Amino acid sequence: MKTVTLILLYLSLPLFIFWWGWFDWWVALPPTIASVYFYGIFWRSSYNAIFTGFSKKELIIPLACLFLAFIWTYLAGVGEFRPQHFDYYKHNLIFNNLVRYDWPVRYADGSYFCYYHAYYLPPALLARWVGGLPYVHYFIFGWTWTGLGLLFILLHKLNGWKLVGLFLFFNSPEAILLIYDAFKAPDSLAFLNDVWYNDHTIELVQSPGGLLFHSFIESFIATPQHALPAWLTTGTLLIFWQKESKPTLLFLPFVLFVVLLYWSPLVAVGFLPLAIYFFFVKKTADYSTGNYPRFVFYTLLIAIPALVFYAGHVSLNEAHGWWWIFFKTPKGVVFLLVFILLEIGIWGAIIGIFYKNKAISKQNFGLLLCALSVLLGLALYRYGHFNDLSRRACLPALLVICWGISTLSFKKPLLFATLILCTLLPLKQHLRWFYKRPYSAIADKKITDFTPYPIHYLRQYHQGSFDPVTQYLGKADAWYLRYFAPDISPTPKQVTRAFYYWKSSFQLTEYEKQVLKRYAIQRLYIKFFDVDWDASTRRAVPKAAIRFVENPLLEVTPTVFVTNRTLEKLSWGGVDELAENITNKINDLIPRINPDSLSVPKEIQIDCDWSVATRAKYFRLLVQLKKKLPTATRLSATIRLHQIKFYRTTGVPPVERGMLMYYNMDDWKNPKTENSILDLTVAGRYADYVSAYPLPLDLVLPVFRWAVVYRNGRFLRFVNHLTHKQLLTNRNFKKSKLPNAYIARQNGTFFGIPVHRGDLFRVEESTVDNLKISTQTLVQEIQNTKVTFALYHLDSLNLSYYALPITNVFLPQRNEIQDPIQQLFKAFR
């Protein structure tokens, strides 16, 4: 009972954290009282067993189990001390958000983090208390190790080291298929080598999504949030299965089912049939005690917060239905039958034979049949993009079968041969733990690496297949947020929508005019002219001044680009002169926008990538400009990411606002750069510093693409609007080993430019997914409530690439959500 008591505390602790951290007090209080009441009755009825002392001999087994659990936890990569399975990209991002964000976690689009939190909450809470992300991996390790240690102790109590050993290597006898493939392969040694170095998960029924029952070791490696509660609750059920049940204990399986809702609803689905079977087999005929209605009431009280919380879940477009409706050929049905035979039928045959030989009691035989029936149901019905239901809900039934098999004699030839087949794949995984790359796919980011990003970053890992983020989000208008969550409604931002216009003459196409209207654009940042150093006159001169062919119909912010080399060459006396010249040039161009208007611009923006060496001159230039501008005109400056992170070195410009340029963030002169326009990995090194920048910030994101051309390893030129498709389908180019790059096969004129054989073309763009993730990130990081959200830049060729075709972009309002550009504007709020 001591072990069971500790397990109940372990499983229940996250519930108390969840109720009091994610709900108003009046919601958290009833389930707390109900839990304390129920467990109080349980502990009072088991007082003597719980509080008896330990002998030294009794301590040896728990310590051995804890040591074994420590080894498993460490080798599996829990806590980031070793390489982690690919699924940890999800776990690490969840831990990151739970530590960084206030609870309940809410995102910029108004949605909330709606997921089964129980596994994640205790480590996250401890990390929040003691100092944040640098410590969370220690608490994750300790929390997981504790749960696994309790499990091994429980398994030992059920059937000694025999069950513990079987658990470590338990699997279905699917390795027989690999043996068949090895004999069939032209080169058996090469096949076995491939089996060793790569994952060979057997998914007979592969389309769409795989039908699979994971081995225990694989479940723990990839999904401890499902595995630990499944095993702990099922093991507890088996403990009481072997004992005489009191009325309190009869309802314990249903309490465990409710607890599982907070840990893993999919596991709870697989556990419920076992709980129901336990109740109907173990209950007495005496209903006069009145305990049952009371226990039902208190169990429902515990469940209500979970039901309220999950009710706001964003609708999922999950594939679901009977497996055969997904099959396109009879071959699929055959594979389904083979799967059922291997994963369920063999165990059923073994259990039946031993029952006939009276090696299994009638009571245990019924429970094992119930477990087999659960597996059969899961094999017939599909739910989830990757059939997640079968992979998670099978865990309780598999543990029941593992326990049942452990009670049999392994000396029987049929059972011995089956168990040998079962151990092959788990044994491979155990051995690969000592290999430098234990998993074919390894998580590419640690918990701290996700610091700038919300849960929406998960889209990076499933681009084009489905939207994985929806399974983690609750609706912004959910009842949970409106009536049950603590009142922490974020202050909505007052957003001004804008575009940059970066051409030498202002004349909009019909498409661009419709874009301005469609997206309700309120402001245009128009480049009035550049300022560059003229070597012949040794002066800073204006270049590429804009010509207004037509009048802008929106508010205009004149923007002036000043090259850094101008500041390097400029004398201190020339700084004041340049401020005067810029002011005069702007004043000269403003009347050309609308000759009938005498209004002054509300804002003027200076764009310059200054350096530490030119900081003093640039800041003096800004101060002088501000003096010369009308009082009603504010001055702003563009800010690069490196100037955000190192602002104590680069300085903060003396202006009223900064425009964060969230692009051109890597060295475009380097041929090995992957994407200089928008690379989330590079952005991640800087974005977390945005919230601390001591200047109100606006934001501009890139909606453009180009190809960077190199000759002999040196930058040659940019080619605007060039795409991957154009280079992939052009026989004059071949794919390079460098990312996003192509090599010219021969000399010629392509895409309107002269090309030499061997020229390297790197295609760069900011993808829609990266733009969405960046928007979600920065709307959280930018602290000021009044903010301009702009896109660079207004150009038909750019926007038609990112938005829907023109026949679809300008649809009635009800369809606007289909347009990716509109989604960006709507997400930033």
Side-chain angles (χ1 to χ4, degrees):
M1 280 299 178
K2 300 182 186 68
T3 304
V4 171
T5 303
L6 291 174
I7 288 173
L8 293 178
L9 288 172
Y10 182 87
L11 292 172
S12 302
L13 176 61
L15 275 64
F16 292 105
I17 297 173
F18 180 63
W19 294 334
W20 291 97
W22 296 69
F23 287 88
D24 254 336
W25 70 268
W26 61 270
V27 184
L29 188 60
T32 302
I33 294 174
S35 298
V36 171
Y37 169 80
F38 187 90
Y39 291 134
I41 293 176
F42 167 76
W43 291 325
R44 188 168 63 247
S45 66
S46 309
Y47 181 86
N48 292 333
I50 294 173
F51 292 101
T52 54
F54 285 102
S55 66
K56 291 183 178 180
K57 186 176 181 180
E58 288 178 319
L59 283 174
I60 294 176
I61 291 175
L63 290 175
C65 289
L66 287 172
F67 177 74
L68 179 60
F70 183 92
I71 298 299
W72 243 44
T73 306
Y74 172 75
L75 293 177
V78 178
E80 301 180 340
F81 299 105
R82 280 179 48 80
Q84 295 179 312
H85 187 276
F86 178 69
D87 266 24
Y88 268 84
Y89 77 87
K90 171 184 66 180
H91 304 315
N92 292 343
L93 181 51
I94 289 174
F95 278 120
N96 180 287
N97 279 201
L98 286 174
V99 174
R100 287 177 53 237
Y101 288 81
D102 292 331
W103 292 356
V105 174
R106 299 192 63 180
Y107 297 109
D109 56 5
S111 63
Y112 65 98
F113 181 35
C114 184
Y115 192 62
Y116 25 96
H117 298 65
Y119 171 72
Y120 305 94
L121 286 181
L125 180 63
L126 288 171
R128 290 162 67 92
W129 281 350
V130 303
L133 292 177
Y135 305 95
V136 67
H137 61 287
Y138 296 109
F139 298 124
I140 295 169
F141 184 92
W143 175 245
T144 308
W145 171 37
T146 301
L148 192 62
L150 289 172
L151 172 68
F152 287 159
I153 296 171
L154 186 66
L155 294 178
H156 187 275
K157 288 184 178 297
L158 282 168
N159 200 23
W161 292 113
K162 186 178 181 181
L163 178 55
V164 175
L166 182 60
F167 174 87
L168 296 178
F169 297 96
F170 189 78
N171 193 27
S172 294
E174 57 193 32
I176 193 172
L177 296 175
L178 292 180
I179 296 173
Y180 169 75
D181 287 341
F183 280 110
K184 190 177 64 173
D187 188 341
S188 296
L189 290 178
F191 176 83
L192 292 176
N193 185 68
D194 180 62
V195 169
W196 170 254
Y197 284 105
N198 297 296
D199 290 336
H200 273 266
T201 302
I202 306 298
E203 292 184 6
L204 280 169
V205 187
Q206 295 181 347
S207 179
L211 177 57
L212 178 70
F213 295 157
H214 277 307
S215 65
F216 288 156
I217 183 174
E218 191 169 2
S219 294
F220 180 71
I221 286 170
T223 56
Q225 81 278 21
H226 297 290
L228 285 176
W231 297 331
L232 290 171
T233 53
T234 307
T236 302
L237 185 75
L238 291 172
I239 284 286
F240 290 113
W241 178 259
Q242 297 175 344
K243 296 178 179 293
E244 290 296 326
S245 297
K246 301 177 181 179
T248 308
L249 304 182
L250 288 177
F251 267 84
L252 184 60
F254 294 107
V255 175
L256 293 175
F257 165 75
V258 173
V259 169
L260 272 175
L261 291 177
Y262 294 89
W263 281 80
S264 172
L266 296 180
V267 169
V269 171
F271 180 82
L272 183 59
L274 300 175
I276 294 173
Y277 186 82
F278 175 97
F279 177 80
F280 280 103
V281 170
K282 288 288 188 176
K283 74 178 180 64
T284 65
D286 181 14
Y287 291 89
S288 60
T289 61
N291 284 327
Y292 297 127
R294 187 164 69 252
F295 288 143
V296 169
F297 174 72
Y298 282 105
T299 303
L300 289 175
L301 281 182
I302 298 172
I304 284 174
L307 301 178
V308 170
F309 187 72
Y310 295 141
H313 203 282
V314 173
S315 300
L316 289 176
N317 185 24
E318 297 277 19
H320 58 89
W322 300 108
W323 259 110
W324 46 85
I325 69 175
F326 297 101
F327 296 145
K328 297 181 180 179
T329 65
K331 187 178 181 181
V333 178
V334 174
F335 282 151
L336 176 61
L337 294 175
V338 173
F339 177 86
I340 292 173
L341 174 64
L342 280 176
E343 303 284 345
I344 305 166
I346 290 178
W347 294 126
I350 291 174
I351 290 168
I353 292 171
F354 276 89
Y355 174 68
K356 186 177 180 181
N357 295 333
K358 298 184 179 181
I360 299 176
S361 69
K362 185 176 181 180
Q363 179 173 280
N364 288 351
F365 179 68
L367 182 62
L368 290 170
L369 284 183
C370 179
L372 290 172
S373 300
V374 171
L375 294 182
L376 179 60
L378 296 174
L380 296 178
Y381 191 83
R382 182 191 177 211
Y383 177 82
H385 291 291
F386 300 106
N387 199 23
D388 297 306
L389 178 63
S390 69
R391 301 181 185 207
R392 315 309 176 207
C394 72
L395 292 171
L398 286 177
L399 184 58
V400 170
I401 293 172
C402 178
W403 162 79
I405 296 298
S406 74
T407 64
L408 305 178
S409 172
F410 291 178
K411 295 180 181 180
K412 300 294 183 180
L414 175 62
L415 182 56
F416 181 78
T418 302
L419 292 179
I420 290 296
L421 287 173
C422 293
T423 61
L424 291 182
L425 290 178
L427 178 61
K428 169 207 161 183
Q429 190 62 72
H430 282 85
L431 294 175
R432 275 186 62 86
W433 268 344
F434 302 97
Y435 183 63
K436 61 182 180 181
R437 188 177 178 87
Y439 318 113
S440 294
I442 292 178
D444 61 347
K445 291 181 183 292
K446 293 188 175 183
I447 296 172
T448 53
D449 294 333
F450 286 107
T451 294
Y453 300 117
I455 200 70
H456 303 75
Y457 190 88
L458 289 176
R459 291 194 178 102
Q460 284 294 103
Y461 295 92
H462 296 281
Q463 294 184 12
S465 55
F466 68 100
D467 186 0
V469 179
T470 53
Q471 64 183 307
Y472 301 94
L473 297 181
K475 299 174 185 176
D477 61 348
W479 280 25
Y480 161 71
L481 288 181
R482 289 192 289 170
Y483 305 116
F484 300 95
D487 186 17
I488 57 165
S489 301
T491 304
K493 294 188 185 302
Q494 300 177 36
V495 180
T496 299
R497 298 183 178 187
F499 265 103
Y500 274 77
Y501 189 90
W502 218 253
K503 300 178 183 178
S504 57
S505 63
F506 187 85
Q507 185 175 19
L508 301 181
T509 65
E510 188 59 33
Y511 182 95
E512 291 163 353
K513 292 177 182 178
Q514 292 185 67
V515 163
L516 296 178
K517 182 178 180 181
R518 172 63 175 173
Y519 302 138
I521 303 303
Q522 301 160 272
R523 182 180 300 161
L524 286 177
Y525 289 82
I526 299 178
K527 189 192 73 167
F528 269 36
F529 55 90
D530 300 331
V531 175
D532 200 1
W533 183 256
D534 188 302
S536 60
T537 61
R538 301 184 61 80
R539 295 185 61 188
V541 297
K543 293 184 178 181
I546 193 167
R547 182 173 61 92
F548 287 94
V549 179
E550 60 183 85
N551 296 331
L553 301 178
L554 304 174
E555 176 190 335
V556 171
T557 296
T559 304
V560 178
F561 175 67
V562 180
T563 64
N564 192 49
R565 67 177 179 179
T566 298
L567 298 171
E568 291 173 344
K569 302 290 185 181
L570 205 61
S571 65
W572 279 98
V575 172
D576 294 352
E577 181 185 0
L578 178 59
E580 180 73 28
N581 292 340
I582 289 176
T583 304
N584 292 336
K585 186 66 175 179
I586 292 174
N587 291 335
D588 180 54
L589 290 172
I590 284 175
R592 304 183 190 184
I593 298 175
N594 186 353
D596 300 327
S597 175
L598 299 177
S599 62
V600 296
K602 294 180 180 179
E603 176 184 345
I604 288 177
Q605 186 173 98
I606 305 300
D607 178 18
C608 179
D609 188 6
W610 78 92
S611 63
V612 175
T614 59
R615 179 182 66 181
K617 291 180 183 178
Y618 179 55
F619 287 4
R620 178 179 177 84
L621 174 66
L622 294 174
V623 170
Q624 294 302 315
L625 279 171
K626 182 60 181 173
K627 290 179 180 179
K628 299 179 185 301
L629 293 177
T631 305
T633 301
R634 64 177 178 266
L635 184 64
S636 66
T638 56
I639 313 291
R640 273 72 174 173
L641 275 174
H642 69 91
Q643 293 159 351
I644 289 282
K645 182 174 182 178
F646 304 108
Y647 75 88
R648 290 181 175 84
T649 302
T650 61
V652 179
V655 294
E656 292 158 273
R657 300 187 70 85
M659 175 64 79
L660 174 57
M661 298 177 63
Y662 205 70
Y663 57 94
N664 291 358
M665 53 185 58
D666 209 352
D667 184 7
W668 47 265
K669 294 181 180 179
N670 186 348
K672 295 182 180 180
T673 296
E674 290 192 21
N675 187 344
S676 67
I677 296 178
L678 180 57
D679 187 325
L680 295 186
T681 301
V682 176
R685 304 170 193 159
Y686 302 95
D688 194 42
Y689 296 88
V690 171
S691 60
Y693 194 69
L695 192 68
L697 288 175
D698 299 315
L699 171 66
V700 53
L701 290 180
V703 284
F704 66 90
R705 65 196 189 282
W706 61 28
V708 191
V709 185
Y710 303 88
R711 182 170 294 166
N712 300 323
R714 295 184 177 182
F715 169 74
L716 182 64
R717 64 187 302 165
F718 293 107
V719 181
N720 289 324
H721 310 304
L722 201 57
T723 65
H724 285 282
K725 184 178 180 180
Q726 289 174 284
L727 288 166
L728 280 170
T729 57
N730 193 317
R731 63 183 181 182
N732 298 304
F733 291 85
K734 64 179 180 180
K735 190 72 177 70
S736 168
K737 293 181 180 179
L738 294 175
N740 304 317
Y742 306 82
I743 300 174
R745 296 177 183 269
Q746 58 188 23
N747 298 336
T749 300
F750 309 116
F751 313 115
I753 61 171
V755 176
H756 290 183
R757 185 174 181 270
D759 284 356
L760 183 73
F761 283 63
R762 185 180 68 237
V763 176
E764 298 185 340
E765 63 181 3
S766 44
T767 65
V768 171
D769 284 338
N770 283 355
L771 287 169
K772 289 179 180 178
I773 292 170
S774 300
T775 303
Q776 292 288 345
T777 299
L778 293 168
V779 75
Q780 301 278 0
E781 298 295 334
I782 293 177
Q783 300 301 301
N784 43 283
T785 55
K786 291 185 177 181
V787 58
T788 297
F789 178 47
L791 297 178
Y792 179 91
H793 63 110
L794 183 61
D795 176 81
S796 298
L797 291 175
N798 282 331
L799 294 175
S800 60
Y801 177 75
Y802 287 96
L804 298 176
I806 191 167
T807 54
N808 294 329
V809 170
F810 306 107
L811 292 173
Q813 187 74 11
R814 66 179 182 274
N815 290 321
E816 66 178 12
I817 199 65
Q818 298 176 23
D819 179 12
I821 298 295
Q822 188 69 276
Q823 286 180 325
L824 294 180
F825 279 120
K826 292 180 75 68
F828 197 92
R829 62 182 184 181

